[in-house]
């Protein structure tokens, strides 16, 4: 990458720069840094916000110059995370066995499976829940199985199966185990054109993270999913970037991944991801991907991402920013397919329509032609 193409990182705090130095190439650079004057409270906040404290602790626990209270905080949080990941791993085994016994094909996304695959140690990555991917045809059956295991479905008002249009997953919570499971019935890819579950299943890989073999995404599918997921959230957590960094570091079939980037129109966000990796984590990028590093549109997007990475806030706060909407629009994640989906969401009845005008279930089909009037009615009521 030419000097003129480098990102402007001058807005980054010393604490964030130090954090990236540690995560990028171990302790070599950090030993040479002057650590005096660092705001260690901010450093810890950044570590927690970006969900990178387990890997961070593994890299700094024997490093001189880190205050003992900072090391102790990182150590305690890492212990908590290890217990969490062990609990989730056990749950993967139980859920995987039940689904297999009931002949429901199941793919695990992220969580301990991803930690084991990319980091070689489940304790080095954080995860607050389990993400499962199944065929939409198995959704009802899967719900019953999870309920038998003690999970409670997160309820939300819905009519005419609107959840199929407005959502991509349903949340289940185990009140005793305090485990959250998100059941997805489709992935999100850059073009909006998504492989069928059967196609993903045919390319699956096996993981031994639990006491029984369980399955997760194939290499190219996982790469496309990770860069789409990270971009959709503005890469505002470094953990997502680290996942791709680890994936490249452990070796990728670049030829196969490049075919997927072309097929799913992912060159723009692929370039964005590689630029961020190269500049922030010093990831070694193969020469065959140089054409992505040189994309001007990807560079513009990467510079916008720095604005989000600098912030410490919730996803909802990021989503509310005008800059975020412009970023998503420019990244082409608001493509024709998604615009069509938004149009369908506009005309498809919602539970709010049923609240505005109550009809017997046998007449729910009338909500389709009545929806524009009902939406206007609610707007008039709010404005009056």
């Amino acid at each position: 990458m030419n000097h003129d193409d480098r990102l402007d990182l001058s807005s980054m705090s010393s604490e964030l720069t130090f954090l990236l130095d540690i995560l990028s190439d171990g302790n070599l650079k950090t030993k040479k840094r002057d650590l005096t004057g660092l705001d260690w409270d901010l450093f810890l906040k950044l570590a927690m916000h970006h969900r990178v404290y387990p890997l961070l602790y593994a890299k700094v626990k024997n490093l001189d110059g880190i205050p003992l209270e900072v090391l102790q905080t990182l150590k305690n949080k890492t212990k908590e995370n290890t217990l969490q990941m062990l609990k989730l791993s056990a749950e993967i085994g139980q859920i995987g066995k039940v689904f297999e016994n009931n002949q429901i094909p199941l793919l695990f996304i992220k969580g301990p499976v991803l930690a084991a695959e990319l980091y070689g140690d489940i304790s080095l990555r954080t995860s607050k829940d389990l993400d499962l991917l199944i065929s939409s045809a198995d959704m009802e059956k899967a719900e019953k199985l999870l309920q038998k295991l003690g999970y409670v479905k997160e309820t939300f008002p819905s009519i005419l199966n609107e959840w199929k249009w407005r959502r991509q997953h349903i949340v289940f919570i185990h009140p005793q185990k305090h485990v959250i499971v998100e059941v997805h019935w489709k992935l999100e890819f850059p073009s909006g054109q998504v492989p069928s579950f059967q196609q993903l299943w045919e390319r699956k890989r096996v993981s031994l993270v639990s006491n029984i073999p369980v399955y997760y995404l194939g290499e190219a599918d996982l790469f496309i999913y990770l860069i789409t997921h990270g971009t959709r959230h503005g890469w505002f957590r470094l953990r997502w970037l680290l996942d791709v960094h680890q994936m490249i570091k452990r070796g990728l079939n670049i030829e196969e991944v490049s075919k997927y980037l072309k097929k799913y129109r992912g060159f723009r966000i692929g370039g964005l991801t590689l630029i961020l990796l190269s500049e922030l984590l010093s990831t070694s990028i193969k020469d065959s991907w140089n054409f992505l590093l040189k994309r001007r549109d990807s560079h513009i997007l990467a510079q916008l991402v720095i604005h989000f990475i600098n912030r410490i806030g919730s996803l909802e706060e990021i989503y509310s920013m005008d800059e975020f909407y412009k970023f998503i629009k420019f990244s082409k994640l608001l493509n024709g397919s998604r615009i069509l989906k938004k149009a369908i969401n506009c005309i498809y009845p919602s539970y709010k329509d049923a609240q505005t005008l109550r009809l017997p279930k046998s007449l729910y089909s009338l909500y389709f032609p009545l929806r524009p009037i009902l939406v206007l009615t609610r707007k008039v009521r709010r404005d009056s």
Side-chain angles (χ1 to χ4, degrees):
M1 184 177 294
N2 296 329
H3 179 74
D4 292 341
D5 294 330
R6 300 298 296 269
L7 296 177
D8 180 3
L9 305 180
S10 60
S11 61
M12 283 188 170
S13 66
S14 299
E15 292 74 18
L16 181 55
T17 303
F18 178 47
L19 186 74
L20 287 166
D21 280 348
I22 298 169
L23 295 174
S24 61
D25 59 2
N27 298 338
L28 295 178
K29 283 170 63 178
T30 55
K31 285 182 179 178
K32 301 176 184 178
R33 287 184 62 96
D34 181 6
L35 304 183
T36 59
L38 282 183
D39 183 338
W40 292 106
D41 286 337
L42 176 57
F43 178 78
L44 285 174
K45 285 180 181 178
L46 288 166
M48 303 309 159
H49 167 73
H50 288 291
R51 307 287 195 265
V52 295
Y53 50 86
L55 187 60
L56 192 65
Y57 177 66
K59 288 175 174 286
V60 303
K61 60 184 178 182
N62 297 318
L63 184 64
D64 295 333
I66 309 294
L68 289 178
E69 57 270 25
V70 172
L71 290 174
Q72 191 61 47
T73 300
L74 292 173
K75 181 179 180 180
N76 292 341
K77 292 294 294 183
T78 299
K79 282 184 176 180
E80 291 176 12
N81 180 66
T82 300
L83 293 175
Q84 166 74 355
M85 296 298 274
L86 288 171
K87 180 170 71 172
L88 291 179
S89 297
E91 203 64 15
I92 284 175
Q94 184 177 21
I95 293 174
K97 184 176 181 179
V98 169
F99 275 57
E100 184 178 25
N101 290 343
N102 286 269
Q103 299 180 326
I104 299 180
L106 167 66
L107 294 170
F108 285 91
I109 317 169
K110 298 185 295 184
V113 169
L114 187 62
E117 161 66 15
L118 299 184
Y119 299 85
D121 184 342
I122 62 171
S123 69
L124 292 180
R125 188 187 189 277
T126 64
S127 185
K128 67 181 180 63
D129 54 25
L130 292 176
D131 293 85
L132 322 179
L133 179 67
I134 63 173
S135 168
S136 59
D138 291 325
M139 191 64 211
E140 186 175 343
K141 192 175 179 182
E143 180 179 335
K144 291 178 180 178
L145 289 179
L146 286 172
Q147 288 174 340
K148 285 183 179 179
L149 289 173
Y151 283 88
V152 178
K153 178 182 175 182
E154 182 183 64
T155 58
F156 51 89
S158 174
I159 62 170
L160 295 169
N161 289 327
E162 63 174 288
W163 57 271
K164 290 184 178 180
W165 296 101
R166 304 185 192 281
R167 291 172 174 254
Q168 294 183 337
H169 67 267
I170 293 180
V171 176
F172 294 83
I173 301 172
H174 200 295
Q176 284 76 43
K177 296 181 180 180
H178 304 292
V179 173
I180 301 172
V181 171
E182 291 188 358
V183 182
H184 300 248
W185 52 89
K186 62 180 176 180
L187 293 183
E188 190 166 27
F189 273 34
S191 66
Q193 174 193 358
V194 182
S196 68
F197 179 82
Q198 185 58 37
Q199 290 173 317
L200 295 170
W201 180 253
E202 290 170 358
R203 300 192 288 260
K204 68 184 182 299
R205 292 179 288 175
V206 64
S207 171
L208 301 176
V209 72
S210 70
N211 56 352
I212 66 164
V214 293
Y215 303 101
Y216 66 110
L217 294 172
E219 181 181 71
D221 291 316
L222 179 61
F223 183 86
I224 299 296
Y225 168 72
L226 289 178
I227 68 170
T228 307
H229 177 269
T231 303
R232 186 162 61 88
H233 295 314
W235 294 103
F236 87 106
R237 290 203 199 282
L238 290 173
R239 179 185 64 183
W240 303 323
L241 206 57
L242 273 171
D243 288 341
V244 187
H245 169 76
Q246 289 294 123
M247 197 172 186
I248 293 175
K249 189 177 176 181
R250 292 173 73 87
L252 268 182
N253 184 335
I254 292 180
E255 184 178 340
E256 185 70 13
V257 170
S258 296
K259 289 179 182 177
Y260 273 56
L261 287 172
K262 182 178 181 179
K263 179 178 180 179
Y264 295 107
R265 301 199 294 276
F267 283 146
R268 179 171 297 182
I269 69 170
L272 156 67
T273 307
L274 295 180
I275 291 169
L276 290 173
L277 288 170
S278 176
E279 295 255 2
L280 301 184
L281 295 174
S282 302
T283 308
S284 179
I285 308 297
K286 298 288 186 181
D287 291 343
S288 54
W289 271 355
N290 278 345
F291 75 100
L292 292 175
L293 292 172
K294 295 176 180 179
R295 288 183 65 106
R296 185 60 187 163
D297 52 358
S298 297
H299 184 274
I300 293 172
L301 284 170
Q303 190 64 62
L304 288 172
V305 166
I306 302 304
H307 182 65
F308 306 134
I309 291 178
N310 278 334
R311 294 177 63 92
I312 297 180
S314 67
L315 182 58
E316 290 72 24
E317 290 172 321
I318 297 293
Y319 277 177
S320 67
M321 297 169 58
D322 290 339
E323 293 89 345
F324 181 80
Y325 180 80
K326 293 175 184 176
F327 166 78
I328 292 296
K329 187 175 181 181
F330 184 40
S331 70
K332 292 299 184 185
L333 286 182
L334 284 178
N335 51 45
S337 174
R338 285 176 176 80
I339 292 172
L340 176 60
K341 180 183 175 183
K342 286 181 177 292
I344 292 174
N345 284 341
C346 287
I347 65 175
Y348 202 90
S350 103
Y351 77 96
K352 293 181 180 179
D353 298 324
Q355 289 179 321
T356 307
L357 175 64
R358 299 191 181 278
L359 295 174
K361 198 169 185 179
S362 59
L363 297 179
Y364 272 10
S365 59
L366 292 177
Y367 283 124
F368 282 96
L370 289 172
R371 179 160 171 76
I373 299 173
L374 297 174
V375 171
L376 181 60
T377 299
R378 289 195 294 275
K379 186 179 186 309
V380 170
R381 287 177 181 175
R382 286 195 303 268
D383 293 341
S384 61

